């Protein structure tokens, strides 16, 4: 059976499974559409949360960013994992105890203000739409290669699939679909990694293989990789080369952005009890760890495989001829995500760091006039089985896994957007007397519109999937996380402080991002280059969320202290949310 047919079978079967589950578990009420009737088991919810979390950025792009940068991009792993611990300990159980359907509803009630609820809806939509652009980018990448269609056609197909199961299923349908998607994506990620680790190191456990011996060279795998990349003018793979301040701010932005992402938070509204919210977060970390512990090995081994493909006899010898390039390169060239330009006309593929001034003399001595191979970071995980010459069924499984990762998170984000529009904006602000049937219909229409907008923006994303997602984390970190923390742990912050803080964090962060990425992400409209040296404050756009969060906290407390105190009934409400049910006062014995 040829590869294209295998891809169709695996991808088609997975889509049929998702749509079948959505039909079986379709939402019949607003409670089921928003929170799956609050009847999801913690283990099931943990698995669904992991799928919701492990997006196209985690599955497709993160390993690619680690592969081509190395240690410095381990910030993605540290920030995202640390954020889940923060969410599990400090937010999830308290928000579940509050008993609301959406994040803006909690903010509106806690800060006794329809304005606060409306501003929270705006923050949620801006962060979620930015995030979903990255998911649709990943859908286009996967479809364009494995179904042999254009990137645009791939995006449109993916949008139709999401529409088919998310619009009708709501949170109930999405939850059980995400459980199936987790099973698909984790197998698709780990099985090729096991094969490749066996090939390169003889160890079937990828994290151990990463720290093991490279069989061909007889030395440590990471040492071999360091040697190859530095011989071609690249930075060492295991060294720290980036700006430390940006690295710290970026990690912090990812952490608090994780804890402030609405599509993750609403998953904890689906469990029966407060204790189940904690257990859900714990199980989610277990399921996420299976992929995140494997990702560094996937990145390093893929980078090594690419370098040895281009330089099969070592970097001291001639690189491979373009006419002799392997089939995987030919396959990805068709998508436009891998490009070759023969700059010196010798028919060979030169792949080196032509931005390194110290390597210029070596390149000129070899007759090289520039690096000739461009590999999009987002293709690395999808191309890995082909690079390692694994069986066709593994390649097809990875195709299904990549799409599962992108579609699962896209569905969660779209659900968060539609819930806020229908429940917080339409029912909470515009038409409080709307019927349950009307609210359910408005939620579905809102999701359909959100899918259309996300698809359009996904055609011209502001960066690789993980980079686009990082911007969304910055927005969530600056606008939503601080108000949730202050809403739970501070009775001093009042409605005016919350609104002022959210608006400050959101406007500052979004404007800063647009100044560096272009207004509304339109190419060529940026005022500053998005680099450490060229950026406005020496802080890149993906790291600015931390500063936005600090401004949010500061403005909220300053405004609150300058205005009236929080009403006593709200203080009592906050105390009741924080104190475990049934706890009594301490007694002296």
């Amino acid at each position: 059976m040829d590869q294209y047919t295998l891809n169709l079978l695996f991808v088609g079967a997975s889509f049929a499974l998702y749509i079948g589950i959505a039909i079986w578990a379709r939402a019949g009420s607003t409670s089921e559409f928003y929170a799956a009737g609050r009847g999801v088991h913690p283990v099931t919810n943990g698995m669904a949360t992991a799928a919701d979390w492990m997006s196209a950025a985690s599955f497709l792009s993160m390993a690619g960013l680690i592969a081509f940068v190395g240690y410095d991009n381990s910030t993605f792993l540290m920030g995202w994992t640390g954020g889940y611990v923060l969410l599990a300990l400090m937010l999830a159980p308290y928000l579940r105890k509050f008993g609301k359907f959406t994040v803006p509803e909690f903010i509106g009630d806690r800060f006794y203000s329809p304005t606060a609820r409306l501003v929270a809806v705006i923050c949620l939509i801006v962060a979620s739409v930015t995030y979903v652009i990255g998911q649709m980018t990943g859908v286009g990448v996967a479809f364009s290669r494995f179904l042999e269609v254009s990137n645009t056609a791939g995006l449109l197909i993916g949008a139709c699939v999401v529409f088919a199961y998310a619009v009708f299923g709501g949170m109930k349908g999405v939850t059980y679909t995400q459980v199936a998607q987790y099973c698909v994506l984790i197998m698709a990620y780990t099985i090729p990694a096991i094969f490749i680790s066996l090939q390169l190191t003889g160890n079937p456990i990828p994290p151990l293989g990463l720290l093991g011996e490279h069989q061909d060279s007889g030395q440590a795998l990471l040492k071999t990789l360091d040697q190859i990349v530095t011989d071609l003018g690249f930075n060492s793979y295991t060294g720290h080369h980036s700006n430390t301040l940006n690295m710290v701010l970026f990690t912090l932005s990812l952490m608090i952005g994780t804890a402030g992402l609405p599509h993750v938070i609403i998953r904890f509204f689906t469990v029966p009890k407060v204790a189940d919210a904690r257990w859900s977060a714990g199980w989610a970390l277990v399921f996420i760890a299976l992929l995140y512990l494997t990702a560094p090995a996937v990145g390093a081994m893929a980078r090594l495989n690419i370098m040895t493909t281009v330089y099969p006899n070592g970097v001291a010898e001639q690189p491979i001829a373009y006419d002799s390039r392997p089939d995987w390169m030919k396959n990805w060239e068709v998508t436009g995500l891998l490009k070759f330009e023969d700059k010196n006309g010798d028919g060979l593929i030169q792949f080196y760091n032509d931005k390194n001034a110290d390597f210029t003399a070596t390149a000129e001595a070899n007759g090289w006039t520039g690096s000739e191979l461009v590999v999009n970071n987002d293709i690395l995980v999808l191309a890995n089985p082909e690079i390692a010459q694994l069986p066709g069924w593994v390649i097809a499984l990875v195709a299904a896994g990549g799409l599962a990762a992108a579609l699962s998170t896209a569905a969660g984000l779209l659900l968060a957007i539609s819930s806020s529009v229908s429940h917080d904006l339409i029912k909470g602000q515009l038409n409080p007397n709307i019927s349950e049937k009307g609210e359910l219909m408005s939620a579905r229409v809102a999701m359909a519109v959100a899918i259309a907008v996300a698809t359009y923006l996904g055609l011209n994303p502001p960066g690789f999937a993980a980079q686009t997602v990082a911007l969304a984390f910055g927005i969530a970190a600056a606008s939503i996380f601080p108000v949730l923390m202050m809403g739970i742990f501070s009775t001093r912050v009042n409605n005016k402080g919350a609104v002022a803080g959210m608006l400050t964090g959101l406007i500052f962060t979004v404007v800063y991002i647009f100044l560096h990425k272009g207004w509304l992400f339109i190419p060529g409209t940026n005022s500053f280059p998005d680099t450490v040296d060229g950026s406005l404050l020496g802080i890149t756009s993906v790291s600015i969320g931390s500063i936005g969060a600090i401004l949010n906290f500061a403005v909220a407390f300053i405004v609150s202290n300058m205005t009236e105190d929080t009403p006593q009934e709200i203080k009592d409400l906050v105390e009741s949310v924080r104190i475990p049910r049934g706890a009594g006062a301490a007694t002296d014995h």
Side-chain angles (χ1 to χ4, degrees), residues 113-326:
S113 168
T115 304
R117 186 172 181 176
L118 178 61
V119 173
V121 169
I122 295 169
C123 294
L124 182 150
I125 290 174
V126 173
S128 298
V129 167
T130 305
Y131 198 154
V132 84
I133 295 171
Q135 308 318 305
M136 302 313 285
T137 302
V139 170
V141 169
F143 268 118
S144 63
R145 164 63 189 92
F146 293 108
L147 298 187
E148 299 178 14
V149 296
S150 68
N151 194 59
T152 300
L155 267 173
L156 295 174
I157 295 170
C160 291
V161 173
V162 172
F163 181 88
Y165 74 80
V167 170
F168 299 107
M171 178 60 85
K172 186 179 179 183
V174 164
T175 296
Y176 295 105
T177 302
Q178 286 175 335
V179 171
Q181 287 168 329
Y182 176 80
C183 296
V184 172
L185 74 87
I186 200 66
M187 287 191 296
Y189 202 88
T190 54
I191 289 174
I194 291 168
F195 274 114
I196 294 168
S197 182
L198 275 170
Q199 285 181 353
L200 294 178
T201 67
N203 193 319
I205 303 173
L208 298 181
L210 175 66
L211 303 175
E213 182 180 287
H214 182 231
Q215 289 187 319
D216 289 350
S217 65
Q219 60 183 2
L221 184 138
L222 287 173
K223 183 178 180 181
T224 302
L225 180 54
D226 265 344
Q227 186 176 319
I228 291 174
V229 296
T230 52
D231 284 349
L232 291 168
F234 295 102
N235 289 327
S236 62
Y237 191 83
T238 56
H240 173 45
H241 309 285
S242 65
N243 178 279
T244 303
L245 173 63
N246 267 287
M247 191 173 184
V248 171
L249 289 176
F250 180 51
T251 305
L252 179 61
S253 181
L254 291 181
M255 282 184 64
I256 62 179
T258 295
L261 279 172
H263 79 287
V264 175
I265 293 172
I266 61 173
R267 286 240 51 94
F268 298 103
F269 298 161
T270 65
V271 292
K273 298 179 295 185
V274 174
D276 294 337
R278 291 190 190 275
W279 280 109
S280 291
W283 279 109
L285 277 170
V286 170
F287 292 125
I288 290 168
L290 294 177
L291 188 145
Y292 274 26
L293 289 173
T294 306
V298 171
M301 292 173 186
R303 178 78 178 273
L304 184 59
N305 273 333
I306 288 176
M307 304 312 294
T308 54
T309 297
V310 177
Y311 297 92
N313 300 313
V315 296
E317 303 295 329
Q318 291 280 23
I320 191 173
Y322 177 69
D323 290 341
S324 302
R325 68 194 186 284

Side-chain angles (χ1 to χ4, degrees), residues 53 55-58 61-62 65 73 75-76 79-80 126-127 129-135 246 249-258 261 462-478 509 513 517 521 530 540-546:
W53 176 245
S55 61
S58 290
S61 198
M62 181 175 62
L65 288 170
N73 269 349
T75 47
F76 284 96
W80 284 339
V126 173
V129 167
T130 305
Y131 198 154
V132 84
I133 295 171
Q135 308 318 305
N246 267 287
L249 289 176
F250 180 51
T251 305
L252 179 61
S253 181
L254 291 181
M255 282 184 64
I256 62 179
T258 295
L261 279 172
F464 300 119
Q467 291 171 327
T468 307
V469 165
L471 298 177
F473 278 82
I475 295 169
T509 305
I513 289 171
K517 288 290 188 183
F521 301 132
D530 198 22
T540 57
S541 60
V542 294
S543 305
I544 200 63
S546 301

Side-chain angles (χ1 to χ4, degrees), residues 238-560:
T238 56
H240 173 45
H241 309 285
S242 65
N243 178 279
T244 303
L245 173 63
N246 267 287
M247 191 173 184
V248 171
L249 289 176
F250 180 51
T251 305
L252 179 61
S253 181
L254 291 181
M255 282 184 64
I256 62 179
T258 295
L261 279 172
H263 79 287
V264 175
I265 293 172
I266 61 173
R267 286 240 51 94
F268 298 103
F269 298 161
T270 65
V271 292
K273 298 179 295 185
V274 174
D276 294 337
R278 291 190 190 275
W279 280 109
S280 291
W283 279 109
L285 277 170
V286 170
F287 292 125
I288 290 168
L290 294 177
L291 188 145
Y292 274 26
L293 289 173
T294 306
V298 171
M301 292 173 186
R303 178 78 178 273
L304 184 59
N305 273 333
I306 288 176
M307 304 312 294
T308 54
T309 297
V310 177
Y311 297 92
N313 300 313
V315 296
E317 303 295 329
Q318 291 280 23
I320 191 173
Y322 177 69
D323 290 341
S324 302
R325 68 194 186 284
D327 288 339
W328 73 266
M329 284 190 172
K330 298 175 184 176
N331 294 336
W332 282 101
E333 276 183 296
V334 174
T335 69
L337 299 172
L338 183 145
K339 299 175 183 177
F340 170 75
E341 179 187 354
D342 194 359
K343 295 179 179 179
N344 63 354
D346 65 355
L348 304 177
I349 301 176
Q350 278 88 45
F351 185 40
Y352 67 100
N353 184 9
D354 53 8
K355 304 292 190 300
N356 185 351
D358 295 333
F359 194 73
T360 302
T362 303
E364 290 176 350
N366 291 336
W368 299 348
T369 57
S371 188
E372 299 173 343
L373 188 67
V374 177
V375 182
N376 186 300
N377 289 345
D378 289 346
I379 75 170
L380 203 67
V381 170
L382 296 177
N384 231 357
E386 296 174 275
I387 296 172
Q389 298 179 330
L390 298 182
W393 68 268
V394 179
I395 297 170
L397 179 62
V398 169
L403 290 166
L407 294 173
S408 62
T409 303
L413 288 162
L414 293 164
L415 187 61
I417 294 169
S418 68
S419 298
S420 288
V421 170
S422 61
H423 190 65
D424 296 302
L425 188 59
I426 295 175
K427 184 178 176 63
Q429 305 274 341
L430 303 178
N431 185 9
N433 298 318
I434 189 172
S435 66
E436 181 169 350
K437 185 177 180 181
E439 186 182 350
L440 196 57
M441 178 57 67
S442 66
R444 285 172 170 151
V445 172
M447 184 177 287
V449 173
I451 291 171
V453 172
T455 303
Y456 173 75
L457 294 173
L459 295 173
N460 294 290
F464 300 119
Q467 291 171 327
T468 307
V469 165
L471 298 177
F473 278 82
I475 295 169
S479 61
I480 299 173
F481 173 77
V483 76
L484 292 178
M485 289 293 291
M486 291 183 290
I488 294 170
F489 296 103
S490 172
T491 58
R492 182 63 193 90
V493 178
N494 61 18
N495 54 353
K496 293 181 177 65
V499 170
M502 282 191 288
L503 287 174
T504 300
L506 176 67
I507 294 170
F508 170 80
T509 305
V510 170
V511 170
Y512 193 92
I513 289 171
F514 283 166
L515 285 171
H516 292 81
K517 288 290 188 183
W519 294 93
L520 298 177
F521 301 132
I522 298 171
T525 61
N526 59 304
S527 303
F528 303 93
D530 198 22
T531 60
V532 174
D533 296 331
S535 58
L536 182 59
L537 303 174
I539 301 171
T540 57
S541 60
V542 294
S543 305
I544 200 63
S546 301
I547 305 300
I550 293 170
L551 291 175
N552 188 331
F553 277 115
V555 169
F557 277 106
I558 290 170
V559 171
S560 296

